[in-house]
Amino acid sequence: MATTPALMNTTLSSTNTTRSREQILYQSAGAIVAAIVVGVIIIFSLVLVALKMYNRRTRTERELMMKSTKAATTNPSTRCNNSLMTQPTSLTSVPPDIHVENR
């Protein structure tokens, strides 16, 4: 009978040890997943900041280019021609089933 309690104590301690190892594995797996999630968030935020800076830089370059080309091509004759060319032409079409009376 003296050997039986000794066996029970060793089996209980071995199951406690395996449980703690399992808990350690679960905790470390959770820490790894959390580190991966934080890393992905940091990478996405860096890409977002880089894209915003690139967009701002290209937009300012484009605006400066448009201003320089407009300043170089501002002649009074071209201004009139451009205004005439940009005016929309309107065409009125009458469907064939509607009869228009002449007055």
Side-chain angles (χ1 to χ4, degrees), residues 58-92:
T58 55
R59 185 180 62 205
T60 55
E61 286 177 2
R62 206 175 326 138
E63 287 175 355
L64 289 175
M65 189 182 343
M66 289 176 64
K67 286 181 182 178
S68 66
T69 56
K70 282 184 180 179
T73 61
T74 54
N75 292 337
S77 61
T78 57
R79 229 182 294 154
C80 292
N81 289 340
N82 286 340
S83 65
L84 290 176
M85 292 176 69
T86 57
Q87 289 179 351
T89 57
S90 61
L91 296 175
T92 307

